[in-house]
Amino acid sequence: MGTFDKFKIWVVFIGLVFQLGHGFYLPGSYPHKYEVGDYLNVKVNSLTSIDTEMPFSYYSLPFCQPIEGVKDSAENLGELLMGDRIENSPYRFKSYTNESDIFLCQTKPLSGEEFKLLKERIDEMYQVNVMLDNLPAIRYTKKENYFLRWTGYPVGIKIQDVYYIFNHLKFTVLVHKYEEANVARVMGTGDGAEVISTVGNSGSETPGYMVVGFEVVPCSFQHNTGSVKNLKMYNKYPSPIKCDPTTVAMPIKENEPVAFTYEVTFVESDIKWPSRWDAYLKMEGAKVHWFSILNSLMVITFLAGIVLVIFLRTVRRDLTRYEELDKEAQAQMNEELSGWKLVVGDVFRAPGNPALLCVMVGDGVQILGMAVGTIMFAALGFMSPASRGTLITGMVFFYMILGIAAGYVAVRLWRTIFCGDHKGWVSVSWKVASFFPGISFLILTTLNFLLWGSHSTGAIPFSLFVILILLWFCISVPLTLVGGYFGAKAPHIEYPVRTNQIPREIPPQKYPSWLLVLGAGTLPFGTLFIELFFIMSSIWMGRVYYVFGFLLIVMILLVVVCAEVSLVLTYMHLCVEDYKWWWKSFFASGSVALYIFLYSVNYLIFDLKSLSGPVSATLYLGYSLFMVLAIMLATGTVGFLSSFWFVHYLFSSVKID
């Protein structure tokens, strides 16, 4: 194992330190060698639907169960939070051995409740997700002159008020001959896999194969009830089964059993093991991504031009004229001047609710750092779709350790606002550690009750809730307090000008300042709304999102646009003698969250038309609200910090007695 692979494992392992009872599982990291005749076990994941967005356990429906009983596979934090429930299944193959007409089981006669549940799942377009060697099964359907690619297959189909179930599966396993001779090979399917060194075992000439593709064709086949009575699992069905996906023949009826069969074909493929995920990750719409980036660059260039004008023409010119005058002339000029030069004695006056501002900026730094760290690692390939659940795990890990940065920034800002006063830093640190996680916990708990009531696997188990609370109070909170301690010890940022005791009256404005603040959010939104469509489709339409390189570029552009927008708006407010820039600079860029939420509502109405039921809509809006809150804190922090630097730089150039 190389140093790079070891580092990948340790990065995720630290985030999973609390999982003492589960084996560590980093799927997709090593090629698994199967010799001819070795058993390959198919696994099943939760049933999913874009109609309800509520996953359910595979075995919540009357499907065949394995002889050894249902067992959960090793899971990580990310899988549990995403609602994945990976379990073993009765489907098993012999490596590089074609088999047909394999009988699996015949269910008991369907009870009224089971019959009703099957009809509901078919109506709600639930998909069965099966996987082999960590590869989800792909299903191809032909539409006109091109093929559509899907992961999983539907539970059944409804035709003219009759419900049919897909009870025969035709599997195709693509394999590639194992080529490396002196590397560690992993036997098994991922769970408790045994690493065996092949060095010194070169005497064995048995060919080995790696799974590089997994396809499924579902069929509805009417079995002869009498001929399956005496069959046991994995016996051969007495007559040939013709799998025709264009016809359906097995209607489900109350008080009648359903028989399940399957067949498997192994096909040798030229696909290399590192390229086996290409079928799932074929880039579509690359031009759209580039268009999004070019669109963002145009916005940035436009704003950069305005900023350049402010700095080089307006500010520099005014400062040069101001500094060339003697003191008497400056005093006389102060009486004649208007604009930002008149608010010298008020520009650093403490804002309203300073503690809340410090807390929101601290949390924003933490969320922004988490996003940057996660997307960078994902762009480098550490958190690919092959490593199921590691993206969420990485986000939790980065969020926890960045509590230090959140506490430090919040407390240092607190001390800066109050000119170096140490009092209250512990309280600020506690609020930072509790503000965003507390709101998140409230939203997720409410949504979780809805999922619990629906018996969905998307509900976070109570044990995991306890673990998350322990992570919060045992790791995140102490680290935030440590960061606050360092922030209290660090020197505060000194203001370049003194603040007058009596606040200056702000002249009446032609337009309400909040109108400018709300309007400013349209520019950052313009930089990311195209990429936002792909992200939303990934989350809610079951598509794989993996273009993290594009996402990293878009995020960098978003940060630049937020900084520029906030800076320009702050300057505009100072020019009309409005020195209350603190909160306005935060919400100038943070208001992009409002437009993202409106876009989410638009996406719900026009793109998720099939979303059924108030529970599903509530889940969607709840998760959207959670996402929007995080975006507001992150973008608002970028805007505030850039404006603070600008104001500090601007007034440090003004000489006042």
Side-chain angles (χ1 to χ4, degrees):
M1 192 191 304
T3 307
F4 186 69
D5 290 326
K6 288 180 180 177
F7 178 68
K8 285 173 69 174
I9 290 175
W10 277 107
V11 165
V12 183
F13 179 75
I14 294 169
L16 301 174
V17 68
F18 58 87
Q19 289 183 266
L20 300 176
H22 297 279
F24 181 76
Y25 179 44
L26 184 63
S29 297
Y30 307 103
H32 298 178
K33 177 186 175 184
Y34 300 100
E35 295 178 356
V36 176
D38 284 350
Y39 279 112
L40 283 74
N41 295 309
V42 175
K43 295 185 180 181
V44 289
N45 202 344
S46 301
L47 305 172
T48 54
S49 167
I50 60 172
D51 273 21
T52 65
E53 300 297 347
M54 287 191 291
F56 290 97
S57 170
Y58 174 82
Y59 293 108
S60 63
L61 293 181
F63 291 138
C64 300
Q65 298 195 5
I67 297 171
E68 66 273 18
V70 179
K71 297 176 183 176
D72 287 337
S73 294
E75 294 170 325
N76 58 42
L77 172 65
E79 286 178 329
L80 289 167
L81 290 175
M82 288 170 65
D84 287 341
R85 294 295 183 273
I86 300 172
E87 297 163 312
N88 60 334
S89 81
Y91 296 101
R92 71 177 189 187
F93 313 145
K94 285 183 181 178
S95 177
Y96 213 68
T97 305
N98 295 342
E99 296 176 288
S100 61
D101 310 329
I102 303 298
F103 174 73
L104 209 56
C105 81
Q106 180 173 265
T107 66
K108 295 176 182 178
L110 295 177
S111 65
E113 189 177 336
E114 289 174 331
F115 176 65
K116 181 183 176 184
L117 188 62
L118 267 173
K119 289 199 300 181
E120 281 181 10
R121 296 293 179 258
I122 291 171
D123 280 334
E124 292 166 344
M125 298 175 63
Y126 267 87
Q127 301 282 315
V128 179
N129 299 293
V130 294
M131 60 185 69
L132 178 68
D133 196 42
N134 195 44
L135 281 179
I138 287 184
R139 175 172 57 96
Y140 292 99
T141 56
K142 191 172 183 179
K143 186 177 181 180
E144 296 175 358
N145 294 324
Y146 57 92
F147 284 94
L148 296 174
R149 189 173 61 250
W150 311 86
T151 54
Y153 65 90
V155 172
I157 190 169
K158 180 183 178 183
I159 299 176
Q160 295 179 350
D161 294 330
V162 179
Y163 292 86
Y164 297 88
I165 190 170
F166 292 117
N167 60 336
H168 178 81
L169 300 180
K170 182 180 179 181
F171 294 107
T172 303
V173 181
L174 306 180
V175 293
H176 187 81
K177 210 161 190 176
Y178 195 80
E179 296 169 348
E180 294 288 340
N182 296 319
V183 297
R185 64 189 174 94
V186 180
M187 302 299 293
T189 58
D191 303 338
E194 182 183 358
V195 181
I196 308 169
S197 174
T198 60
V199 179
N201 295 334
S202 56
S204 173
E205 296 182 2
T206 308
Y209 295 91
M210 299 172 292
V211 176
V212 294
F214 187 39
E215 299 171 7
V216 64
V217 176
C219 298
S220 180
F221 183 80
Q222 179 75 59
H223 296 91
N224 187 331
T225 309
S227 62
V228 300
K229 275 184 179 179
N230 299 321
L231 291 179
K232 294 183 178 179
M233 190 175 283
Y234 307 124
N235 286 166
K236 195 168 180 68
Y237 190 73
S239 58
I241 297 174
K242 185 182 178 183
C243 180
D244 184 1
T246 61
T247 61
V248 288
M250 183 60 205
I252 55 170
K253 296 177 182 178
E254 193 172 348
N255 297 320
E256 287 192 14
V258 179
F260 290 88
T261 53
Y262 72 95
E263 61 185 278
V264 59
T265 305
F266 284 80
V267 178
E268 199 161 340
S269 170
D270 293 331
I271 299 171
K272 302 282 187 183
W273 189 85
S275 305
R276 67 183 193 152
W277 276 88
D278 289 359
Y280 305 83
L281 306 179
K282 283 182 180 177
M283 180 178 284
E284 296 171 358
K287 289 182 180 178
V288 178
H289 288 282
W290 285 117
F291 173 76
S292 170
I293 289 170
L294 287 173
N295 173 58
S296 304
L297 285 172
M298 289 176 66
V299 174
I300 283 178
T301 306
F302 171 70
L303 288 171
I306 297 176
V307 172
L308 209 62
V309 168
I310 289 173
F311 267 112
L312 298 183
R313 297 193 61 185
T314 310
V315 177
R316 281 291 180 192
R317 184 191 62 201
D318 288 351
L319 287 174
T320 304
R321 285 177 55 205
Y322 195 81
E323 289 169 0
E324 285 175 354
L325 301 173
D326 56 26
K327 290 181 181 178
E328 289 183 10
Q330 280 184 17
Q332 184 180 354
M333 189 178 182
N334 280 339
E335 296 176 4
E336 300 171 357
L337 288 177
S338 61
W340 63 269
K341 297 168 282 296
L342 289 177
V343 294
V344 171
D346 296 275
V347 72
F348 289 108
R349 190 174 300 282
N353 295 316
L356 181 60
L357 178 64
C358 295
V359 167
M360 292 175 74
V361 170
D363 278 331
V365 167
Q366 192 172 6
I367 294 166
L368 185 65
M370 174 199 71
V372 171
T374 305
I375 294 172
M376 282 187 67
F377 272 72
L380 292 171
F382 284 90
M383 300 172 185
S384 71
S387 305
R388 188 175 290 101
T390 53
L391 189 69
I392 303 293
T393 305
M395 291 173 72
V396 172
F397 170 74
F398 281 118
Y399 184 82
M400 285 192 304
I401 62 169
L402 285 168
I404 293 180
Y408 177 84
V409 171
V411 170
R412 195 167 182 207
L413 179 61
W414 170 264
R415 292 187 61 230
T416 298
I417 290 173
F418 290 99
C419 302
D421 190 3
H422 290 80
K423 291 179 182 178
W425 73 266
V426 175
S427 173
V428 170
S429 300
W430 268 106
K431 288 173 183 175
V432 170
S434 305
F435 180 73
F436 179 69
I439 296 175
S440 306
F441 187 77
L442 184 65
I443 293 172
L444 294 178
T445 303
T446 305
L447 299 179
N448 219 48
F449 277 120
L450 293 175
L451 291 167
W452 270 336
S454 304
H455 306 288
S456 169
T457 59
I460 301 172
F462 179 75
S463 57
L464 185 59
F465 247 111
V466 174
I467 289 169
L468 289 172
I469 292 171
L470 289 174
L471 283 173
W472 179 11
F473 284 103
C474 297
I475 298 178
S476 184
V477 171
L479 287 177
T480 308
L481 289 170
V482 168
Y485 172 78
F486 286 119
K489 291 293 181 184
H492 69 282
I493 301 168
E494 294 187 3
Y495 294 146
V497 292
R498 290 195 303 269
T499 300
N500 296 335
Q501 290 185 349
I502 302 172
R504 179 186 179 85
E505 186 179 349
I506 300 172
Q509 310 297 324
K510 290 183 179 179
Y511 305 102
S513 58
W514 59 264
L515 209 58
L516 277 174
V517 169
L518 287 178
T522 55
L523 290 170
F525 178 73
T527 66
L528 61 81
F529 82 96
I530 295 176
E531 204 65 33
L532 192 63
F533 171 79
F534 289 98
I535 295 170
M536 298 286 276
S537 298
S538 169
I539 296 172
W540 301 109
M541 302 290 282
R543 298 172 187 169
V544 178
Y545 186 88
Y546 67 99
V547 284
F548 293 104
F550 280 119
L551 185 59
L552 182 63
I553 295 171
V554 169
M555 194 182 69
I556 292 169
L557 297 178
L558 176 65
V559 167
V560 174
V561 171
C562 285
E564 291 179 345
V565 161
S566 184
L567 194 149
V568 170
L569 206 74
T570 299
Y571 180 75
M572 289 172 66
H573 279 113
L574 293 179
C575 282
V576 293
E577 301 175 36
D578 184 356
Y579 55 83
K580 295 182 178 179
W581 59 271
W582 301 77
W583 281 107
K584 289 168 186 171
S585 66
F586 185 93
F587 286 113
S589 52
S591 61
V592 66
L594 173 65
Y595 295 97
I596 292 175
F597 187 74
L598 293 176
Y599 179 83
S600 301
V601 174
N602 173 80
Y603 190 86
L604 172 64
I605 295 170
F606 295 104
D607 292 276
L608 292 178
K609 294 177 184 177
S610 59
L611 199 66
S612 58
V615 174
S616 299
T618 305
L619 287 171
Y620 174 85
L621 292 173
Y623 287 125
S624 298
L625 189 64
F626 171 69
M627 177 182 72
V628 160
L629 175 65
I631 291 172
M632 183 199 72
L633 292 172
T635 53
T637 296
V638 170
F640 171 79
L641 293 177
S642 60
S643 289
F644 184 86
W645 168 83
F646 169 69
V647 172
H648 192 278
Y649 171 81
L650 179 62
F651 286 93
S652 63
S653 305
V654 178
K655 295 178 182 177
I656 299 291
D657 286 337

